[in-house]
């Protein structure tokens, strides 16, 4: 017991990267693993425990839990990658422009960022998804726009500290235009500083989408998605607790591994 | 003082601007109270009659003027879909959420401050490391996972609390109380982790300051050291976090309330959004905004009260 507590699993590099590797492997290769179909329903085998045919049992519609579990991270991961890319693009460009331009442009952009930060994210997401349909593309763009403001804020301050550094001054003295300085000197360096922030953002977006699915407004049935699987199976927890424990373990291990990797850097 | 007045004015302006933006934004969504009421059975003629009756055919500007006028007079509006005054729908739910938030705050904040202090003071103890890892996990996981785990453990495996709450929104306090525990515990886990880590970091920070070192060299005993020197200096950042977490307890509870079917404001917001009951969505958004703005002012002013260094520099 003592060694178990002493073993800091959040700081063990090998463990973190093998968990991340496992998730990458599963997310990329799930469709090619010759698993049973995620949608085929076996009405003769509802809510069964683990067996040779169904390694983790079946859900309330007789679908194979193991197969759904391995596919269940893909929708959130795709959306999280897309939304993070959008938020980085917008956030870093706006943030570094604000810092580079200074003056009233900086002031105006900062106010816009503050305004966006005050918006109630989850309510907006629910509204968008309820009124415009649960389209992954719309949700990615919406998530990307909403999560751009924290990135912009960090990018702005990172750029400001960069601007005081010698190599930027040299670039300016050499007569570089603002745009060439932005793309040549600022962005490549801001990117390095921003990694932590972006990785954190990625997990938040992932969890936001899972929470939406849990509320019934993210992934729509019969898509296998961890949040949705948890929501669908909660009423059957007494009969087969694996139905909720398995997706919880997948979601938790993925998010904790990303978090631990970020802390490690 | 001047600073505070300026912030209040600025927040008020932000609130008004966001209120207008929210009104126009919600108005621009496809569908209104009448289509929500009549659903797919609404013929054009019926919808038109309903719109006429509720003055929905006026231009956005006219309706915005009417709506804001009513709002100033304390009238939150009327839900066509639910055929009820918005205030009558919201107030009982707000009470439920407030009770839940109060229970969560009473569980989480005092324990977070004590545990954070102990963890900061004795970081090498085994139990400190275990609690610390637990708090990292609790902070990372989404509420619906924490809610489901608590439900599984505290309602199914060890049946202490009822799982899904079955109660009308205007249940008496006595009926409400058993249903409050699980959602309140879920919220408490989240804010405990958050405020405990702030307290721990703050204590660690204070311990390295020269005045603590000098007190130690004077031979101050542990009790006095904690009471007189460490806690007063470590509290200000925690007060800030407590104010912001308190605001979150009132406005960030959608997922938790939905997980336990708890009849609070968050659950209502989700229902209103799925029903596309726009008249009900708006006041809930505005309430969230108001709480957010008030709490951030409160957080900064409280820090000034607790931290003498900031007070003197302001004069």
């Amino acid at each position: 017991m003592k060694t178990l507590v002493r073993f800091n699993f959040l700081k063990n590099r090998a463990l973190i990267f093998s968990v991340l590797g496992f998730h990458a492997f599963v997310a990329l290769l799930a469709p090619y693993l010759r698993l049973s179909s995620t949608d085929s329903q076996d009405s003769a085998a509802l809510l069964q425990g683990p067996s040779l045919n169904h390694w983790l049992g079946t859900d309330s519609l007789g679908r194979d839990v193991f197969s759904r579990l391995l596919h269940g991270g893909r929708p959130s991961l795709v959306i999280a990658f897309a939304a993070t890319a959008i938020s980085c693009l917008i956030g870093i460009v706006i943030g570094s422009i604000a810092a580079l331009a200074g003056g009233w442009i900086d002031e105006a952009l900062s106010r816009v960022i503050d305004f966006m930060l005050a918006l109630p994210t989850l309510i907006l997401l629910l509204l968008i998804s309820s009124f415009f349909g649960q389209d992954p593309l719309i949700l990615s763009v919406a998530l990307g726009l909403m999560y751009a403001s924290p990135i912009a804020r960090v990018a702005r301050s990172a750029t400001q500290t960069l601007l005081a550094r010698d190599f930027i001054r040299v670039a300016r003295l050499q007569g570089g235009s603002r745009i060439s300085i932005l793309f040549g000197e600022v962005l490549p360096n801001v990117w390095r500083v921003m990694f932590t922030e972006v990785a954190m953002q990625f997990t938040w977006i992932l969890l936001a989408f899972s929470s939406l699915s849990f509320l019934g407004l993210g992934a729509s049935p019969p898509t296998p998605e961890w949040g949705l699987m948890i929501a669908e199976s909660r009423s059957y927890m007494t009969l087969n607790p694996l139905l909720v424990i398995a997706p919880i373990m997948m979601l938790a291990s993925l998010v904790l591994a990303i978090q631990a990797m970020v802390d490690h850097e | 003082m001047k600073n505070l007045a300026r912030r209040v004015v600025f927040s008020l302006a932000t609130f008004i601007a966001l209120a207008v933006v929210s009104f126009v934004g919600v108005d621009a969504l496809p569908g209104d109270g009448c289509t929500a009421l009549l659903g797919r059975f609404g013929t054009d003629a019926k919808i038109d009659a309903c719109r006429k009756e509720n003055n929905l055919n006026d231009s956005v500007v006219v309706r915005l003027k009417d709506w804001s006028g009513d709002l100033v007079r304390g009238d939150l509006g009327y839900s066509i879909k639910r055929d009820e005054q918005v205030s009558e729908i919201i107030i009982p739910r707000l009470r439920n959420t407030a009770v839940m938030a109060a229970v969560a705050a009473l569980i989480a904040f005092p324990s977070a401050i004590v545990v954070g202090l102990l963890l900061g003071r004795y970081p090498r103890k085994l139990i400190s490391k275990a609690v610390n890892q637990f708090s990292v996990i609790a902070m990372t996981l989404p509420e619906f996972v924490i809610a489901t785990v608590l439900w599984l453990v505290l309602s199914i495996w060890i049946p202490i609390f009822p799982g899904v709450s079955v109660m009308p929104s205007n249940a008496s306090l006595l009926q409400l109380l058993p249903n409050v525990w699980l959602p309140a515990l879920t919220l408490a886990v989240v804010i405990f982790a958050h405020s405990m880590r702030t307290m721990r970091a703050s204590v660690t920070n204070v311990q390295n300051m020269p005045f603590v070192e000098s007190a130690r060299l004077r031979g101050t005993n542990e009790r006095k050291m904690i009471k007189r020197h460490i806690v007063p200096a470590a509290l200000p950042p925690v007060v800030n976090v407590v104010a912001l977490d308190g605001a979150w307890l009132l406005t960030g509870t959608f997922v938790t309330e939905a997980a336990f079917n708890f009849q609070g404001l968050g659950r209502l917001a989700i229902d209103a959004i799925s029903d596309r009951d726009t008249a009900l969505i708006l006041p809930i958004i505005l309430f969230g905004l108001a709480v957010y703005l008030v709490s951030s002012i409160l957080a900064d002013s409280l820090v000034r009260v607790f931290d003498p260094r900031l007070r003197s520099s302001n004069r």
Side-chain angles (χ1 to χ4, degrees):
Chain A
M1 194 60 209
K2 236 177 174 175
T3 41
L4 196 68
V5 179
R6 281 247 186 262
F7 177 67
N8 196 337
F9 55 93
L10 291 172
K11 287 211 174 109
N12 187 297
R13 196 177 264 267
L15 182 67
I16 294 168
F17 282 98
S18 42
V19 170
L20 286 176
F22 164 74
H23 275 288
F25 174 79
V26 163
L28 288 172
L29 298 180
Y32 310 104
L33 288 180
R34 301 230 254 153
L35 299 159
S36 37
S37 151
T38 55
D39 297 337
S40 70
Q41 304 178 3
D42 184 356
S43 53
L46 305 180
L47 292 168
Q48 288 197 332
S51 65
L52 272 181
N53 274 338
H54 305 290
W55 288 5
L56 287 176
T58 55
D59 68 3
S60 58
L61 294 172
R63 296 175 297 195
D64 182 53
V65 174
F66 183 68
S67 170
R68 292 178 67 76
L69 197 66
L70 296 196
H71 285 86
R74 291 162 61 86
S76 351
L77 281 170
V78 169
I79 286 192
F81 270 115
T84 309
I86 294 172
S87 69
C88 280
L89 204 69
I90 300 174
I92 292 182
V93 168
I94 289 186
S96 46
I97 286 179
L100 267 178
W104 67 270
I105 298 180
D106 184 21
E107 190 65 25
L109 286 176
S110 298
R111 285 290 86 77
V112 172
I113 296 170
D114 285 348
F115 176 83
M116 296 285 289
L117 282 171
L119 292 177
T121 320
L122 194 61
I123 275 214
L124 270 179
L125 280 174
L126 289 168
L127 275 174
I128 289 168
S129 141
S130 162
F131 281 86
F132 297 106
Q134 288 151 254
D135 180 5
L137 187 69
I138 294 179
L139 280 177
S140 317
V141 174
L143 278 164
L145 286 175
M146 256 173 250
Y147 282 89
S149 40
I151 297 251
R153 203 166 57 161
V154 180
R156 178 175 166 271
S157 60
T159 311
Q160 274 176 339
T161 34
L162 265 182
L163 287 183
R165 299 269 295 275
D166 288 339
F167 67 93
I168 302 264
R169 287 213 204 117
V170 170
R172 276 201 168 150
L173 288 175
Q174 282 172 340
S177 72
R178 280 191 171 167
I179 295 189
S180 76
I181 291 179
L182 176 67
F183 282 99
E185 314 286 341
V186 174
L187 288 183
N189 284 294
V190 168
W191 180 245
R192 220 172 298 153
V193 185
M194 298 291 298
F195 174 76
T196 314
E197 182 69 18
V198 171
M200 298 281 289
Q201 196 87 278
F202 179 80
T203 59
W204 287 334
I205 293 176
L206 192 90
L207 292 179
F209 179 73
S210 281
S211 302
L212 269 188
S213 300
F214 177 80
L215 294 175
L217 286 163
S220 42
T223 315
E225 201 279 334
W226 295 328
L228 188 62
M229 285 171 73
I230 295 172
E232 283 171 343
S233 318
R234 275 163 21 108
S235 337
Y236 310 102
M237 269 193 306
T238 36
L239 297 168
N240 185 359
L242 259 184
L243 285 179
V244 291
I245 295 174
I248 283 179
M249 294 306 279
M250 290 294 274
L251 188 62
S253 62
L254 173 60
V255 177
L256 281 171
I258 297 176
Q259 185 87 18
M261 181 194 71
V262 172
D263 289 344
H264 221 306
E265 287 301 309
Chain B
M1 227 42 237
K2 211 171 162 189
N3 219 338
L4 182 68
R6 220 173 62 195
R7 283 217 44 188
V8 171
V9 171
F10 184 73
S11 299
L12 216 61
T14 314
F15 180 78
I16 293 170
L18 281 169
V20 172
V21 170
S22 312
F23 184 87
V24 176
V26 168
D27 193 76
L29 293 171
D32 56 26
C34 287
T35 50
L37 173 70
L38 296 165
R40 63 185 65 182
F41 304 110
T43 56
D44 286 351
K46 268 190 195 163
I47 291 178
D48 213 44
C50 166
R51 280 192 179 141
K52 223 166 241 158
E53 193 187 328
N54 293 291
N55 299 329
L56 287 184
N57 284 333
D58 298 341
S59 74
V60 186
V61 183
V62 173
R63 277 181 295 122
L64 177 61
K65 225 168 78 187
D66 289 351
W67 174 76
S68 48
D70 286 348
L71 204 62
V72 172
R73 264 175 267 118
D75 178 1
L76 293 180
Y78 166 74
S79 161
I80 302 172
K81 166 89 182 169
R82 286 172 169 70
D83 190 22
E84 235 182 316
Q85 288 297 319
V86 169
S87 53
E88 276 169 31
I89 308 174
I90 286 186
I91 286 170
R93 319 262 182 153
L94 183 58
R95 184 208 59 174
N96 295 350
T97 296
V99 171
M100 177 183 68
V103 172
L106 284 176
I107 298 173
F109 290 138
S111 56
I113 288 175
V114 173
V115 173
L117 173 68
L118 292 177
L119 257 59
R121 197 81 185 112
Y122 311 107
R124 284 176 202 292
K125 289 244 158 77
L126 198 61
I127 181 85
S128 302
K129 289 185 175 167
V131 173
N132 201 27
Q133 292 207 353
F134 159 79
S135 72
V136 173
I137 296 172
M139 261 175 58
T140 312
L141 295 182
E143 294 106 68
F144 72 91
V145 166
I146 297 173
T148 310
V149 171
L150 284 178
W151 184 0
L152 188 64
V153 176
L154 293 181
S155 175
I156 294 178
W157 288 346
I158 315 168
I160 306 175
F161 304 116
V164 186
S165 71
V166 266
M167 57 163 199
S169 57
N170 55 359
S172 69
L173 275 178
L174 224 64
Q175 266 179 300
L176 179 68
L177 216 53
N179 294 310
V180 153
W181 293 109
L182 276 183
L185 268 179
T186 307
L187 298 171
V189 167
V190 177
I191 55 173
F192 169 83
H194 196 207
S195 42
M196 188 277 279
R197 289 182 69 80
T198 314
M199 180 69 183
R200 190 188 69 123
S202 183
V203 167
T204 312
N205 187 23
V206 164
Q207 272 176 352
N208 296 329
M209 286 186 175
F211 69 85
V212 173
E213 180 66 10
S214 97
R216 195 179 62 80
L217 292 176
R218 258 183 279 131
T220 316
N221 67 16
E222 180 71 8
R223 219 187 131 83
K224 203 173 164 195
M225 180 77 128
I226 287 176
K227 238 170 111 181
R228 285 280 303 276
H229 299 287
I230 294 179
V231 170
L235 269 183
V238 181
V239 169
N240 200 349
V241 167
V242 166
L244 296 177
D245 278 353
W248 180 79
L249 280 179
L250 286 175
T251 60
T253 57
F254 311 94
V255 181
T256 309
E257 288 184 10
F260 294 106
N261 195 29
F262 183 80
Q263 296 290 335
L265 206 59
R267 170 84 248 191
L268 180 69
I270 293 173
D271 286 347
I273 288 171
S274 340
D275 292 348
R276 307 193 171 187
D277 190 346
T278 43
L280 196 50
I281 297 170
L282 257 182
I284 298 177
I285 295 180
L286 291 191
F287 172 75
L289 275 176
V291 170
Y292 172 81
L293 291 171
V294 169
S295 70
S296 53
I297 293 178
L298 203 66
D300 290 355
S301 339
L302 277 180
V303 169
R304 266 167 217 285
V305 172
F306 273 80
D307 197 337
R309 285 165 297 186
L310 289 173
R311 230 180 303 158
S312 53
S313 68
N314 196 29
R315 258 174 213 154

